[in-house]
């Protein structure tokens, strides 16, 4: 039974970490350019992830898989590019509130792309989560270009979440660390032309203050690297709509962090956060079909962690 809840726990922890990213990204963008921020946070994260993933089975094969390229494009390149550019035109708080659309976008993508059937509890949780984040947003939301760009980013991430679920149904799929790392490699590579464009036009800028540098390091090592692996592990094993509903906790958690940092209590926001979290609990805790280890995608046994040494090994 404990293994049955591991995927939900992984998604929950990734959501908690994700809710910290908007403030950290805002601090970094005070002196850094969007492409420098996006590429550097993933490059640093990959310094940690690649040596670990390279020791596991199927890493090279996963890198060569066109489906991994699509995951990198939707879940890394498009999402982080549009989200970070959007932060130049809106506040981190507003960007965090826009995440309220992600559960709806993910549910729609799941129905359209993989004909996923939404259970009654999932629909109830989705409605409550949407109402809750709407209340949170009511006291501090504003519509601007940054909001539009973040909506585009979220639509891309919704597609990525559904693709992860489809990937989890493969009988020969890699484990979560391998898939997350390979996705990050391709997503970072596809962002390099954007970084090159910033350099060419003279808009590239590295952080010049200690807070900006520490923010990028925190984004890379505390947020990006763990979240890539945790969210991939969970999203492969639960219905895509459930993964989407779980993200409704991000605005509520973000507001909770703001309260801890001294922001005055707003009763409407507090009520909205509570309703959103209640919706998340209804959708996730009552979900009976969580798969702790779909065929071919479970974490490998210790014996499988040895480096690949044969160039003609078919697993490569």
């Amino acid at each position: 039974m404990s293994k049955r809840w591991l995927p939900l726990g992984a998604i929950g922890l990734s959501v908690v970490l994700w809710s910290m990213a908007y403030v950290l990204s805002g601090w970094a963008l005070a002196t850094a350019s969007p492409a420098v921020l996006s590429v550097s946070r993933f490059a640093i994260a990959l310094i940690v992830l690649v040596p670990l993933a390279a020791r596991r089975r199927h890493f090279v094969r996963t890198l060569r898989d066109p489906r991994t390229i699509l995951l990198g494009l939707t879940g890394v390149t498009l999402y982080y590019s549009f989200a970070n550019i959007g932060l130049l035109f809106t506040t981190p708080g507003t960007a965090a509130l826009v995440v309220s659309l992600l559960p709806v976008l993910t549910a729609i993508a799941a129905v359209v792309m993989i004909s996923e059937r939404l259970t009654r509890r999932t629909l109830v949780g989705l409605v409550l989560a949407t109402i809750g984040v709407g209340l949170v947003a009511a006291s501090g939301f504003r519509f601007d270009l940054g909001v539009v760009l973040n909506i585009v980013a979220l639509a891309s991430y919704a597609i990525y979440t559904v693709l992860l679920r489809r990937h989890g149904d493969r009988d020969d799929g890699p484990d979560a660390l391998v898939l997350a790392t390979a996705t990050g490699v391709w997503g970072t590579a596809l962002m390099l032309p954007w970084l090159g464009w910033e350099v060419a036009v003279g808009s590239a800028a590295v952080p010049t203050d200690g807070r900006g540098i520490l923010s990028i390091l925190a984004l890379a090592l505390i947020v990006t690297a763990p979240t890539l692996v945790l969210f991939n592990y969970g999203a492969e094993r639960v219905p895509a709509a459930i993964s989407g509903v779980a993200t409704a906790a991000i605005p509520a958690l973000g507001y909770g962090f703001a309260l801890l940092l001294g922001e005055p209590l707003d009763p409407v926001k507090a009520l909205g956060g509570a309703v959103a979290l209640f919706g998340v609990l209804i959708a996730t805790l009552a979900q009976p079909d969580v798969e702790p280890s779909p065929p071919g995608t479970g974490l490998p046994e210790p014996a499988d962690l040895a480096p690949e040494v044969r160039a003609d090994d078919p697993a490569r």
Side-chain angles (χ1 to χ4, degrees):
M1 180 62 68
S2 61
K3 290 183 179 180
R4 181 169 294 275
W5 294 104
L6 282 176
L8 291 176
I11 290 176
L13 181 55
S14 69
V15 164
V16 173
L17 296 174
W18 192 350
S19 65
M20 302 165 53
Y22 292 94
V23 173
L24 291 172
S25 296
W27 288 348
L29 287 170
T31 54
S33 59
V36 169
L37 168 61
S38 301
V39 173
S40 61
R41 68 183 285 188
F42 274 91
I44 295 171
L46 289 173
I47 291 174
V48 176
L49 293 176
V50 168
L52 298 174
R55 292 176 55 84
R56 304 172 98 99
R57 299 174 60 201
H58 308 318
F59 179 60
V60 175
R61 188 183 72 177
T62 304
L63 278 174
R64 294 173 177 171
D65 192 335
R67 286 170 287 196
T68 307
I69 301 174
L70 185 58
L71 288 171
L73 175 65
T74 55
V76 177
T77 306
L78 295 180
Y79 173 69
Y80 287 96
S81 297
F82 281 108
N84 285 333
I85 294 173
L87 281 172
L88 297 178
F89 300 96
T90 194
T91 65
T94 300
L97 294 176
V98 178
V99 180
S100 61
L101 293 175
L102 185 53
V104 178
L105 294 173
T106 304
I108 293 173
V111 172
V112 172
M113 294 174 59
I114 58 176
S115 301
E116 188 170 280
R117 305 177 73 178
L118 305 181
T119 66
R120 183 175 302 176
R121 287 190 179 94
T122 300
L123 287 172
V124 171
L126 179 63
V127 170
L128 287 175
T130 303
I131 292 174
V133 293
L135 289 172
V136 173
S139 298
F141 186 79
R142 71 181 192 184
F143 191 84
D144 50 31
L145 178 58
V147 170
V148 175
L149 293 173
N150 272 277
I151 291 174
V152 174
L154 292 171
S156 178
Y157 204 84
I159 294 172
Y160 166 72
T161 302
V162 177
L163 291 174
L164 276 175
R165 178 55 180 168
R166 177 186 289 175
H167 206 293
D169 291 332
R170 294 173 56 189
D171 292 334
D172 60 345
D175 68 60
L177 175 59
V178 167
L179 181 59
T181 304
T183 297
V185 169
W186 275 112
T188 305
L190 292 171
M191 285 192 289
L192 292 179
W194 177 30
L195 178 61
W197 177 83
E198 277 196 352
V199 172
V201 300
S203 62
V206 298
T208 57
D209 62 333
R211 188 175 72 169
I213 295 172
L214 290 176
S215 295
I216 290 180
L217 290 175
L219 282 167
L221 302 176
I222 299 176
V223 178
T224 302
T227 299
L228 264 179
V229 178
L230 290 169
F231 192 83
N232 277 28
Y233 174 77
E236 283 188 295
R237 292 159 172 79
V238 303
I242 298 298
S243 301
V245 172
T247 61
I250 293 174
L253 291 172
Y255 181 61
F257 287 137
L259 291 178
L260 291 176
L261 294 174
E263 181 174 321
L265 176 66
D266 184 321
V268 175
K269 286 186 178 180
L271 175 62
V275 172
L277 290 175
F278 184 60
V280 172
L281 289 174
I282 287 179
T284 56
L285 296 184
Q287 174 61 33
D289 297 325
V290 174
E291 302 174 56
S293 198
T297 61
L299 295 176
E301 297 296 328
D304 295 332
L305 299 183
E308 298 168 289
V309 295
R310 291 180 54 192
D312 60 342
D313 188 347
R316 296 175 67 90

